[in-house]
Every structure is written in C-alpha cells, then in structure tokens.
Coordinates of all heavy atoms in Angstrom, one line a residue:
H1 N -15.0 -17.2 -4.1 CA -15.0 -15.9 -3.5 C -16.0 -15.6 -2.5 O -17.1 -15.8 -2.9 CB -15.1 -14.8 -4.7 CG -13.9 -14.9 -5.7 ND1 -12.9 -13.9 -5.6 CD2 -13.9 -15.7 -6.8 CE1 -12.1 -14.2 -6.7 NE2 -12.5 -15.2 -7.3
F2 N -15.7 -15.4 -1.3 CA -16.6 -15.2 -0.3 C -17.6 -14.1 -0.5 O -18.8 -14.2 -0.3 CB -16.0 -15.2 1.1 CG -15.3 -16.3 1.6 CD1 -14.1 -16.5 1.5 CD2 -16.1 -17.5 2.1 CE1 -13.4 -17.8 1.8 CE2 -15.5 -18.5 2.6 CZ -14.2 -18.8 2.3
G3 N -17.1 -12.9 -0.9 CA -18.0 -11.8 -1.1 C -18.7 -11.3 0.2 O -18.3 -11.6 1.3
G4 N -19.7 -10.4 0.0 CA -20.5 -9.9 1.0 C -19.8 -9.2 2.2 O -20.3 -9.2 3.3
Q5 N -18.7 -8.7 1.9 CA -17.8 -8.0 2.9 C -17.4 -8.9 4.1 O -17.0 -8.5 5.2 CB -18.6 -6.7 3.5 CG -18.8 -5.7 2.4 CD -19.4 -4.4 3.0 OE1 -19.8 -4.3 4.1 NE2 -19.5 -3.4 2.2
D6 N -17.4 -10.1 3.7 CA -16.8 -11.1 4.7 C -15.4 -11.0 4.8 O -14.7 -10.6 3.9 CB -17.1 -12.6 4.2 CG -16.7 -13.6 5.2 OD1 -17.5 -13.9 6.1 OD2 -15.6 -14.3 5.0
P7 N -14.7 -11.3 6.0 CA -13.2 -11.2 6.0 C -12.5 -12.0 5.0 O -11.4 -11.6 4.6 CB -13.0 -11.6 7.5 CG -14.3 -11.5 8.3 CD -15.4 -11.6 7.3
G8 N -13.2 -13.1 4.6 CA -12.6 -13.8 3.5 C -12.6 -13.2 2.2 O -12.0 -13.8 1.2
A9 N -13.3 -12.1 2.1 CA -13.3 -11.3 0.8 C -12.2 -10.1 0.9 O -12.2 -9.3 0.0 CB -14.6 -10.8 0.5
F10 N -11.3 -10.2 1.8 CA -10.3 -9.1 2.0 C -9.5 -8.9 0.9 O -9.0 -10.0 0.2 CB -9.4 -9.6 3.2 CG -8.1 -8.7 3.3 CD1 -8.2 -7.4 3.6 CD2 -7.0 -9.3 3.3 CE1 -7.1 -6.7 3.6 CE2 -5.8 -8.8 3.4 CZ -5.8 -7.3 3.6
V11 N -9.3 -7.7 0.4 CA -8.4 -7.4 -0.7 C -7.3 -6.7 -0.3 O -7.3 -5.6 0.5 CB -9.2 -6.4 -1.8 CG1 -8.1 -6.0 -2.8 CG2 -10.3 -7.3 -2.4
S12 N -6.0 -7.3 -0.3 CA -4.8 -6.8 0.4 C -4.2 -5.7 -0.6 O -4.2 -6.0 -1.8 CB -3.8 -7.8 0.6 OG -2.7 -7.4 1.2
T13 N -3.7 -4.6 -0.1 CA -3.1 -3.6 -0.8 C -1.7 -3.6 -0.8 O -1.1 -3.7 0.3 CB -3.5 -2.1 -0.2 OG1 -5.0 -2.1 -0.2 CG2 -2.9 -1.1 -1.0
S14 N -1.1 -3.6 -1.8 CA 0.5 -3.6 -2.1 C 0.8 -2.1 -2.0 O 0.2 -1.3 -2.8 CB 0.8 -4.2 -3.3 OG 0.5 -5.6 -3.3
G15 N 1.6 -1.7 -1.3 CA 1.9 -0.3 -1.0 C 3.2 0.3 -1.5 O 4.1 -0.5 -1.7
G16 N 3.3 1.6 -1.6 CA 4.4 2.3 -2.0 C 4.5 3.6 -1.3 O 3.6 4.3 -1.1
G17 N 5.8 3.8 -0.6 CA 6.0 5.2 0.0 C 7.3 5.6 -0.2 O 8.3 4.9 -0.5
V18 N 7.6 6.9 0.2 CA 8.9 7.5 0.1 C 9.3 7.7 1.5 O 8.7 8.2 2.4 CB 8.7 8.9 -0.6 CG1 10.0 9.7 -0.6 CG2 8.2 8.8 -2.1
L19 N 10.6 7.3 1.8 CA 11.1 7.5 3.1 C 11.5 9.0 3.4 O 12.0 9.7 2.5 CB 12.6 6.7 3.2 CG 12.3 5.3 3.5 CD1 11.7 5.2 5.0 CD2 11.5 4.5 2.5
R20 N 11.1 9.5 4.6 CA 11.4 10.8 5.0 C 13.0 11.1 4.8 O 13.3 12.3 4.6 CB 10.8 11.0 6.4 CG 10.8 12.4 6.8 CD 10.2 12.6 8.2 NE 8.9 12.1 8.3 CZ 7.8 12.9 8.1 NH1 8.1 14.2 7.7 NH2 6.7 12.4 8.2
S21 N 13.8 10.1 4.9 CA 15.2 10.3 5.0 C 15.8 10.3 3.6 O 17.1 10.3 3.5 CB 15.8 9.4 5.9 OG 15.5 8.0 5.5
S22 N 15.0 10.1 2.6 CA 15.6 10.0 1.2 C 16.4 11.1 0.9 O 16.1 12.3 1.0 CB 14.3 9.9 0.3 OG 14.8 9.9 -1.2
D23 N 17.5 10.7 0.1 CA 18.5 11.7 -0.5 C 18.0 12.2 -1.8 O 18.5 13.2 -2.4 CB 19.9 11.2 -0.6 CG 20.5 10.8 0.7 OD1 20.2 11.5 1.7 OD2 21.3 9.9 0.8
T24 N 17.0 11.6 -2.4 CA 16.5 12.0 -3.7 C 14.9 12.1 -3.6 O 14.2 11.4 -4.3 CB 16.9 10.9 -4.8 OG1 16.4 9.6 -4.5 CG2 18.4 10.9 -5.0
P25 N 14.5 13.0 -2.9 CA 12.9 12.9 -2.5 C 12.2 13.3 -3.7 O 11.1 12.7 -4.0 CB 12.8 14.0 -1.5 CG 14.1 15.0 -1.6 CD 15.1 14.0 -1.9
A26 N 12.6 14.3 -4.6 CA 11.9 14.5 -5.8 C 11.7 13.2 -6.8 O 10.6 13.0 -7.2 CB 12.5 15.7 -6.5
E27 N 12.9 12.5 -7.0 CA 12.8 11.4 -7.8 C 12.1 10.2 -7.2 O 11.4 9.5 -7.9 CB 14.3 11.1 -8.2 CG 15.0 12.0 -9.1 CD 15.5 13.4 -8.3 OE1 15.5 13.3 -7.2 OE2 15.9 14.2 -9.0
A28 N 12.2 10.1 -5.9 CA 11.5 9.1 -5.1 C 10.0 9.3 -5.3 O 9.2 8.4 -5.5 CB 11.9 9.2 -3.7
Q29 N 9.5 10.5 -5.1 CA 8.1 10.9 -5.4 C 7.7 10.5 -6.8 O 6.6 10.0 -7.0 CB 7.8 12.2 -5.0 CG 8.0 12.7 -3.6 CD 6.7 12.4 -2.8 OE1 5.8 12.0 -3.3 NE2 6.9 12.6 -1.4

C-alpha cells in the first residue's frame, strides 16, 4: 500500500444513482 496520499493509494468509489427518466423514482431512490 503506497499510502501518504500518493496516486497509488487511490481508493475508487463504486457508485449508485437514480436515472432522471425513471418510471419508478420512489422505489429507485
């Protein structure tokens, strides 16, 4: 682990989002 805020210590975020065009916005949220 490189540490020290090196680019090699990058922590990648897996994301989740709701599409603006969703037909089921409440359930998607």
